[in-house]
């Protein structure tokens, strides 16, 4: 009797254990770490509601290197596993498979890994973009639990006080940057600088904000900088100020196209003309180089490969754009991937020849150029 009862109990135990394993796992090697729930999304929400726990979501893709690193290191840490398994309902979502595809837009996920803490109603409590080590992940998780420095908490405070406190603005922007909330960063920066006394821009804190977060030449703070460069140079030095102006124009020149709903791009003629006018009318170093890179970037974005190849060759031969090994390789690489026309591929192959002739070039670079040239000189249906 005892033996039969023991066998029944063991069978029941193994059945229950197998059932748990079907819905959770720790990691590939079976070591201590975070146990991830593999139930349906609705079941995960129900479980979080039932246990009154936050949901930790690892938003990943199969090709994401940092995602794989976290899966093998941070997520397998014993201390991390003990804490997360006790405090949260843990989920991994491939954002290129359902339900990840649908949730990607809902949660504003555009980079990987994105780490989320949600409540059972799918409200984002906390968010971080990029791989974290053990200490960083535990700090992030504790913030989500105690609510002291969560993204949602900062959103609420901003809705109440706006940009009235400069110190809060700095903290909020840092929090938004960690969360990858680029659109909100632009909104907050524009709101902050809109009503700021322009002379206040010369203060160190505001100069730091302008340097780090203002990337649009139409921004009022940047326009003030353009018209008062000598004052800024007197405070922060010629190189620092000229670099800010140069790189802001360089970046703007690479963003003259609008993406359509079907995924294609069209040139925004009004933005282009405004950009060229500002470049012409203001004190900006290396204007020809900025125009050249803008032309190259625009033709590549539009998929106008004859214009792209012609522009790269023209500006290389005129000595206007960089002729370093990495630049030459990167000029040629997209032609190999996207272009079938032999004459364009041959022209791009000539850029590889330029790279091979660079004095002191490493063997690795030489072999990379030779391999790329060989591919460019081969035209096939798979190119």
């Amino acid at each position: 009797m005892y033996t039969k009862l023991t066998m029944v109990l063991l069978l029941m135990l193994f059945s229950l254990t197998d059932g748990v394993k079907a819905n959770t796992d720790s990691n590939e090697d079976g070591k201590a770490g975070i146990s991830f729930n593999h139930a349906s999304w609705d079941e995960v929400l129900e479980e979080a509601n039932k246990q009154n726990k936050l949901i930790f979501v690892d938003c990943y893709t199969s090709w994401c290197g940092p995602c794989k690193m976290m899966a093998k290191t941070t997520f397998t840490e014993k201390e991390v596993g003990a804490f997360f398994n006790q405090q949260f309902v843990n989920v991994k979502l491939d954002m290129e498979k359902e339900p990840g595809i649908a949730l990607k837009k809902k949660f504003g996920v555009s980079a990987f890994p994105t780490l989320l803490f949600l409540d059972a109603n799918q409200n984002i409590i906390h968010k971080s973009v990029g791989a974290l080590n053990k200490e960083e992940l535990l700090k992030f998780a504790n913030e989500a639990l105690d609510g002291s420095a969560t993204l949602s908490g900062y959103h609420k405070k901003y809705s109440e006080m706006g940009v009235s406190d400069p110190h809060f603005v700095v903290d909020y922007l840092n929090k938004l940057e960690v969360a990858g909330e680029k659109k909100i960063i632009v909104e907050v920066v524009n709101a902050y600088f809109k009503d700021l006394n322009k002379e206040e821009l010369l203060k160190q804190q505001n100069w730091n904000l302008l340097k780090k977060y203002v990337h649009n030449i139409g921004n009022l703070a940047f326009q003030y900088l353009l018209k008062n460069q000598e004052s800024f140079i007197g405070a922060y030095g010629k190189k620092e100020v000229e670099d800010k102006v140069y790189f802001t124009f360089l970046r703007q020149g690479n963003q003259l196209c609008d993406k359509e709903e079907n995924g294609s791009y069209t040139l925004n003629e009004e933005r282009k003309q405004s950009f060229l006018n500002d470049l012409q009318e203001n004190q900006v170093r290396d204007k020809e180089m900025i125009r050249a890179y803008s032309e190259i970037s625009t033709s590549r974005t539009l998929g106008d490969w004859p214009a792209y190849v012609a522009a790269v060759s023209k500006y290389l031969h005129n000595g206007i754009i960089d002729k370093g090994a990495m630049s030459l390789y990167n000029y040629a690489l997209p032609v190999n991937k996207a272009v079938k026309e032999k004459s364009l591929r041959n022209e791009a192959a000539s850029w590889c020849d330029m790279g091979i002739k660079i004095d002191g070039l490493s063997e690795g670079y030489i072999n990379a150029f030779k391999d790329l040239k060989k591919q460019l000189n081969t035209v096939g249906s798979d190119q």
Side-chain angles (χ1 to χ4, degrees):
M1 179 67 180
Y2 175 79
T3 304
K4 288 183 179 180
L5 179 59
T6 302
M7 290 297 293
V8 170
L9 290 172
L10 286 173
L11 286 170
M12 290 176 62
L13 176 61
F14 289 142
S15 297
L16 289 170
T17 304
D18 289 341
V20 172
K21 287 185 176 179
N23 286 328
T24 64
D25 70 358
S26 53
N27 57 77
E28 294 175 358
D29 299 322
K31 298 177 182 177
I34 298 178
S35 293
F36 289 97
N37 192 311
H38 295 296
S40 71
W41 183 244
D42 286 340
E43 289 171 329
V44 167
L45 297 176
E46 184 179 345
E47 184 69 16
N49 185 56
K50 181 180 177 181
Q51 296 190 39
N52 194 29
K53 290 183 176 181
L54 293 178
I55 305 165
F56 170 65
V57 187
D58 170 30
C59 303
Y60 74 98
T61 65
S62 60
W63 45 263
C64 167
C67 302
K68 295 177 181 177
M69 182 191 74
M70 283 200 74
K72 290 184 177 180
T73 56
T74 309
F75 292 160
T76 64
E77 291 277 359
K78 183 177 181 180
E79 185 179 351
V80 170
F83 186 73
F84 273 68
N85 295 338
Q86 180 181 9
Q87 299 291 343
F88 310 112
V89 176
N90 304 300
V91 183
K92 291 174 71 74
L93 291 178
D94 186 335
M95 304 312 282
E96 294 181 330
K97 298 178 181 179
E98 293 295 357
I101 295 173
L103 296 174
K104 179 180 176 182
K105 184 175 182 180
K106 180 179 180 66
F107 298 137
V109 176
S110 59
F112 309 100
T114 291
L115 308 174
L116 301 172
F117 283 103
L118 313 172
D119 64 21
N121 294 317
Q122 303 187 73
N123 297 308
I124 296 177
I125 304 302
H126 214 9
K127 181 179 180 183
S128 180
V129 174
L132 303 179
N133 61 30
K134 181 182 77 171
E135 290 74 20
E136 292 167 338
L137 183 61
L138 289 172
K139 178 177 181 292
F140 175 55
N142 275 298
E143 288 177 349
L145 276 180
D146 63 32
S148 61
T150 61
L151 181 63
S152 60
Y154 271 83
H155 285 333
K156 184 175 185 297
K157 192 172 182 180
Y158 179 69
S159 70
E160 296 169 348
M161 62 185 297
V163 294
S164 59
D165 182 349
H167 296 293
F168 167 73
V169 171
V170 172
D171 291 342
Y172 187 35
L173 288 170
N174 288 334
K175 191 67 64 174
L176 291 170
E177 187 175 17
V178 169
E181 297 288 352
K182 296 179 182 179
K183 289 184 178 180
I184 304 179
I185 287 175
V186 173
E187 293 173 7
V188 174
V189 168
N190 287 344
Y192 177 71
F193 283 124
K194 180 181 178 181
D195 298 324
L196 187 71
N197 185 309
K198 296 304 178 284
E199 286 74 20
E200 294 286 304
L201 286 170
L202 282 165
K203 289 186 176 180
Q204 182 73 61
Q205 176 176 284
N206 293 326
W207 170 240
N208 290 342
L209 288 177
L210 194 157
K211 280 194 303 176
K212 187 173 184 179
Y213 294 113
V214 174
H215 305 301
N216 189 313
I217 60 178
N219 182 280
L220 293 176
F222 188 78
Q223 286 292 318
Y224 182 82
L225 165 63
L226 282 178
K227 307 305 180 186
N228 298 273
Q229 290 188 55
E230 292 305 319
S231 297
F232 284 89
I233 288 172
Y236 301 108
K238 185 179 178 68
K239 184 179 186 306
E240 188 169 328
V241 175
E242 287 190 348
D243 279 354
K244 174 57 186 174
V245 172
Y246 169 79
F247 285 112
T248 301
F249 270 93
L250 188 67
R251 180 171 180 159
Q252 187 85 37
N254 292 337
Q255 299 174 342
L256 303 182
C257 297
D258 294 326
K259 190 173 183 178
E260 306 297 333
E261 289 185 4
N262 63 4
S264 65
Y265 287 87
T266 56
L267 177 62
N268 187 314
E269 294 286 356
E270 183 179 351
R271 192 186 308 147
K272 175 184 176 181
Q273 196 55 53
S274 177
F275 162 74
L276 292 175
N277 289 343
D278 275 328
L279 183 62
Q280 179 64 33
E281 295 169 4
N282 289 285
Q283 180 182 332
V284 186
R285 76 162 192 257
D286 297 326
K287 291 185 179 183
E288 284 189 78
M289 183 181 293
I290 292 172
R291 289 193 195 94
Y293 280 124
S294 179
E295 182 180 339
I296 290 168
S297 174
T298 299
S299 58
R300 176 178 174 176
T301 300
L302 294 173
D304 187 348
W305 295 108
Y308 172 83
V309 172
V312 172
S313 286
K314 177 177 69 174
Y315 293 124
L316 280 174
H317 291 124
N318 291 346
I320 293 175
I321 60 176
D322 185 56
K323 295 182 180 179
M326 183 175 292
S327 293
L328 288 167
Y329 189 87
N330 285 327
Y331 299 149
L333 191 61
V335 177
N336 185 49
K337 292 181 177 180
V339 179
K340 292 183 179 180
E341 188 174 334
K342 186 174 182 180
S343 62
L344 299 181
R345 295 177 68 85
N346 287 342
E347 183 66 16
S350 72
W351 308 336
C352 294
D353 288 329
M354 294 175 65
I356 292 170
K357 294 176 182 177
I358 295 175
D359 290 337
L361 192 66
S362 69
E363 185 177 350
Y365 256 125
I366 291 174
N367 291 335
F369 274 121
K370 286 181 176 179
D371 181 61
L372 181 55
K373 179 184 176 182
K374 182 179 179 180
Q375 294 179 50
L376 285 163
N377 286 330
T378 304
V379 179
S381 59
D382 60 335
Q383 295 294 323

